[in-house]
Amino acid sequence: MRRSARGARRGRGARLGDTAIAAVTVVALGSGVWLLGTGTHAPPQPTAAEGRADPGGERLAAPALAPSVPVRVRIPAIRVDAPLTGLALTPSGSLDAPPAAEKNLAGWYEAGTTPGEAGTAIVAGHVDNADGPAVFYDLGALRRGARIEVEREDGTVALFTVDAVEVYSARDFPDEKVYGASLRPELRVITCGGGYSKATGYQGNVVVFAHLTGSR
């Protein structure tokens, strides 16, 4: 499942070098193959109650941090504790995915905003692989108010609070809402979701919206 994403210059959104990105796509982040073999139900999906009631009503964020490469992401509520690898664009313009064989590995868009910096940082990971659940299998079960921690190369930990957890179908993915520029430090965590079809695979994406509320 590929989704386009609009960004701007660093500190305002995703970018590649000094050139603004017109479209960045997120590749499929799950295979669903193991679902077919085991008869297991699809990963949890967010309820309407966890959605963003007022997209324009932004809560105050902590002061932005200086740029620093993220090295690890932790989401205690769903037992995520995973290293981060940099993700670049493929020759076709898609955002590359972390290696599917490494189940407990997530990635971040390394040409864009670093988590904690002013702007919209992007973290993506697989929901499953051929062997079973992967790093973000339970992302759809996350709730508003949950904490996300991003450990950074400079020794700081950026602390984010979840504002909303939403699921979007392939046809209705809101590019600007998910990837659009922001003046405050924000984070998006993305995986596959939206139900599963044997014919076409996962039907959309689960997206977590969060903003910086502190650091240590």
Side-chain angles (χ1 to χ4, degrees), residues 25-47:
T25 58
V26 178
V27 300
L29 295 165
S31 68
V33 172
W34 72 285
L35 291 175
L36 300 179
T38 64
T40 306
H41 293 294
Q45 302 298 296
T47 66

Side-chain angles (χ1 to χ4, degrees), residues 26-110:
V26 178
V27 300
L29 295 165
S31 68
V33 172
W34 72 285
L35 291 175
L36 300 179
T38 64
T40 306
H41 293 294
Q45 302 298 296
T47 66
E50 302 308 323
R52 178 173 291 187
D54 180 12
E58 296 184 344
R59 287 179 273 181
L60 293 177
L65 304 176
S68 181
V69 172
V71 296
R72 196 166 196 88
V73 59
R74 291 185 288 269
I75 311 177
I78 55 173
R79 301 173 299 282
V80 168
D81 186 351
L84 284 165
T85 187
L87 302 177
L89 298 181
T90 67
S92 66
S94 298
L95 179 63
D96 207 356
E102 298 187 47
K103 295 169 65 172
N104 193 48
L105 177 67
W108 73 286
Y109 179 42
E110 63 182 347

